Amino acid sequence: MSKAVMLHKYGPPEVLQLVQRTPPQPGPGQVRVRVQAAGVQPFDCAVRSGRFAKPGGAFRSTLPQMLGNEFSGAIDAVGSGVAGFKPGDPVLGWVMAAAYAQHVVVDASQIVRKPESVGWYPAAVISASGQAAHTALHALEVGPGDTLLIHAGAGGVGSFAVQLGQLWGARVIATASERNHDYLRSLGAIPVAYGPGLAQRVRAVAPQGVTAALDAAGSNALDTSVELVKDRRRIATLVDLDRAAALGVLAVRSQRSIERLNELVALHASGRLQVLISQAFPLERAADAHRLVETRKVRGKVVLTVD
């Protein structure tokens, strides 16, 4: 048997249940991965709460439901037609709503080999959060000469975006609570506290103006961005998708690819992209992991681990 976390009704973290199931089998073009770690995202918490259960939104979820979109582990079974991978290979990759489990079946086109120098936990959080940040900054065409504002810069996606923005030549300003300002400075960003008066604080550190903004926070982040950035086509949100069209800004959904993932893995392996794991919980404590993520005070990423 194989362990997995399932959702049979929407609600608070307590609705997450650890179940035993028959291990899934890979089909043609697929591999089965024995999971070592899975990333926990705010998106997972939103699905669990029922936010996407109603029709008409950007996403749609149905019950029963698994969760988890990013993972690392070792291949333990290979389907027909798979070339380049074999049992025992360490890999990382992405999957839709299936990673909170002891075993996950995934298309071979959605995994890459994990370098020996990359740990299981960092590997587990690059596929979704890292690619989301990369997608958004690419959509914003961030480059040399830009002053980039990132809302929720100390979070999972924000931490990647801060570093990628600088690697691509931008001057980066990032919002966070004051407890995370030293962390943002360590990543090379200029930290500003969020809350009332944010626009004025950003102007104080960027009197030349802000040329692009990424919202990874929600709430009033888009309003502040619209106030600060002249060209609304250079404002993107990963979370407030329903308001994006009304404001004339970019609604960004992660565009995942092997090429993008390999680039991010190479950056981390070379030491140019840090990955901070705030806390690791065993699979059976998925509810505790969700409670922590929902505090919105997580620095970096939270992972679930499988024995």
Side-chain angles (χ1 to χ4, degrees), residues 158-181:
S159 293
F160 282 109
V162 163
Q163 296 175 82
L164 290 173
Q166 291 176 96
L167 287 170
W168 295 0
R171 179 174 184 256
V172 178
I173 300 166
T175 72
S177 62
E178 291 192 8
R179 61 184 287 272
N180 286 319
H181 283 194

Side-chain angles (χ1 to χ4, degrees), residues 18-253:
L18 186 69
V19 302
Q20 296 285 340
R21 62 172 183 165
T22 302
Q25 298 300 316
Q30 296 180 323
V31 301
R32 187 177 70 194
V33 177
R34 172 51 161 90
V35 176
Q36 290 287 331
V40 180
Q41 299 176 280
F43 176 81
D44 303 338
C45 300
V47 173
R48 188 216 71 232
S49 71
R51 176 179 169 186
F52 303 122
K54 298 177 181 179
F59 301 94
R60 186 82 165 92
S61 62
T62 58
L63 296 174
Q65 177 79 56
M66 290 183 66
L67 298 172
N69 301 313
E70 54 185 353
F71 64 89
S72 63
I75 294 173
D76 71 353
V78 176
S80 62
V82 173
F85 293 104
K86 64 183 185 303
D89 284 346
V91 296
L92 63 145
W94 72 92
V95 66
M96 180 54 70
Y100 290 12
Q102 191 171 8
H103 295 92
V104 61
V105 167
V106 61
D107 287 348
S109 62
Q110 295 175 204
I111 57 172
V112 301
R113 194 176 302 274
K114 183 186 78 68
E116 186 175 349
S117 62
V118 175
W120 290 116
Y121 294 1
V125 304
I126 295 175
S127 294
S129 295
Q131 292 201 80
H134 192 291
T135 299
L137 296 196
H138 185 267
L140 288 170
E141 300 181 348
V142 170
D146 274 323
T147 296
L148 171 66
L149 172 63
I150 297 174
H151 298 275
V157 173
S159 293
F160 282 109
V162 163
Q163 296 175 82
L164 290 173
Q166 291 176 96
L167 287 170
W168 295 0
R171 179 174 184 256
V172 178
I173 300 166
T175 72
S177 62
E178 291 192 8
R179 61 184 287 272
N180 286 319
H181 283 194
D182 284 343
Y183 169 62
L184 288 176
R185 291 188 187 97
S186 76
L187 298 181
I190 301 168
V192 292
Y194 52 68
L198 174 59
Q200 290 84 347
R201 289 191 292 277
V202 172
R203 289 191 181 101
V205 298
Q208 77 285 2
V210 175
T211 58
L214 172 60
D215 167 27
S219 188
N220 296 320
L222 278 184
D223 300 301
T224 302
S225 299
V226 167
E227 184 178 347
L228 291 168
V229 180
K230 292 181 179 179
D231 185 353
R232 295 196 182 190
R233 295 170 298 179
R234 302 208 70 203
I235 300 171
T237 180
L238 288 160
V239 292
D240 207 351
L241 304 181
D242 294 335
R243 292 190 65 210
L247 292 173
V249 305
L250 301 178
V252 177
R253 297 178 179 86

